[in-house]
Amino acid sequence: MELYNAQNLPLSNDPVKRKIQEKMLRGEKLTVGETVKINLRDRVIRKIGDYECKPDHCYRAISEDDLKIYKEQGFVGDKNKGDYISGENNKGIDWYLGGACPSRYGDIIIECPAYKDYFQLAIDNGLNMANDINVRHIKSSSQSSPVTMEMITNVFDYKKISQEQKAKFEMLRQQEMAKMSQLRQQQLASLTPEILSDENIVGRSR
């Protein structure tokens, strides 16, 4: 089946928004007015720990309870929520193509290939929510052709991954501090009493 790819999609149909998005692609900083104009409310990520999100895969941030429900029913959907119809409603199941928004929607992130038979871009080529031009808002069906759990390629615990990364960073920081302390002691030990002074003692506060 053919996949959507966030790197190959058109920009906004609105010429004003498209100029702002071209500015984003050039890496230029937006003004407050420009940011408001394109309505970038969600701060998305393209890396989940060390894992790079794929531009042709969709990511949905959910709670642990949601994941449990999906597993029990066998698909990603809500029986009480209708399907998305472009230009008519905002229903359907929300995902991001090429990235995720765990801080806003949940700590569990599920991944699925962006099959065109199961997904469709949300309003304005999916450019109405994410603050990253390379991540698009996309919808899956809630009822008629929902994403099955067999289609899910990865499940990430973002909170756990973030905690592990922080612990790893702290461990590396402590190791670096220990190396610096050892180096300082070696430098001090190499100095003879005749040349030991305030000027050549590394780290001596004055």
Side-chain angles (χ1 to χ4, degrees):
M1 284 187 283
E2 188 177 2
L3 303 177
Y4 285 102
N5 190 311
Q7 297 178 351
N8 301 328
L9 295 173
L11 298 180
S12 175
N13 297 317
D14 183 320
V16 175
K17 289 185 178 181
R18 187 164 59 249
K19 286 184 178 180
I20 299 173
Q21 290 159 358
E22 289 170 349
K23 185 176 178 180
M24 292 173 69
L25 289 174
R26 293 193 297 269
E28 299 175 16
K29 187 175 181 179
L30 302 184
T31 65
V32 174
E34 288 172 335
T35 301
V36 172
K37 179 66 178 177
I38 52 179
N39 191 32
L40 307 180
R41 77 176 198 184
D42 282 354
R43 297 182 63 82
V44 295
I45 58 172
R46 281 191 282 158
K47 284 192 71 175
I48 305 170
D50 295 326
Y51 184 85
E52 295 274 357
C53 293
K54 301 173 183 178
D56 59 357
H57 280 57
C58 297
Y59 300 85
R60 176 169 168 79
I62 57 175
S63 67
E64 291 186 11
D65 287 342
D66 287 334
L67 180 61
K68 183 179 179 181
I69 292 171
Y70 294 165
K71 287 180 176 179
E72 289 174 350
Q73 65 188 16
F75 63 91
V76 179
D78 184 342
K79 295 178 181 178
N80 299 318
K81 193 172 185 179
D83 287 345
Y84 173 68
I85 302 176
S86 180
E88 293 187 20
N89 65 37
N90 190 35
K91 297 181 180 180
I93 304 302
D94 296 297
W95 301 68
Y96 271 119
L97 175 66
C101 187
S103 59
R104 185 179 179 92
Y105 300 109
D107 292 321
I108 304 298
I109 301 173
I110 55 177
E111 175 193 70
C112 179
Y115 298 121
K116 290 189 175 183
D117 288 351
Y118 287 85
F119 293 92
Q120 60 176 314
L121 291 171
I123 187 171
D124 199 17
N125 298 320
L127 286 162
N128 204 40
M129 286 177 63
N131 69 329
D132 188 330
I133 194 73
N134 296 302
V135 177
R136 304 297 181 96
H137 181 204
I138 199 166
K139 300 268 193 176
S140 69
S141 168
S142 179
Q143 296 176 349
S144 59
S145 57
V147 170
T148 65
M149 289 306 293
E150 286 78 12
M151 295 164 61
I152 300 301
T153 49
N154 274 304
V155 178
F156 304 93
D157 187 331
Y158 184 71
K159 184 176 182 180
K160 181 180 179 181
I161 291 171
S162 297
Q163 290 173 341
E164 289 174 347
Q165 279 199 314
K166 287 179 180 178
K168 182 179 179 180
F169 174 81
E170 180 61 24
M171 181 184 69
L172 292 173
R173 189 179 73 85
Q174 293 291 342
Q175 289 176 348
E176 187 63 26
M177 290 177 63
K179 288 180 182 178
M180 292 297 294
S181 177
Q182 184 179 29
L183 176 60
R184 183 164 61 242
Q185 294 300 321
Q186 290 172 348
Q187 289 173 331
L188 289 172
S190 68
L191 296 174
T192 63
E194 290 77 18
I195 61 174
L196 195 61
S197 67
D198 285 350
E199 285 72 26
N200 54 31
I201 296 179
V202 178
R204 173 64 64 88
S205 60
R206 301 184 176 159

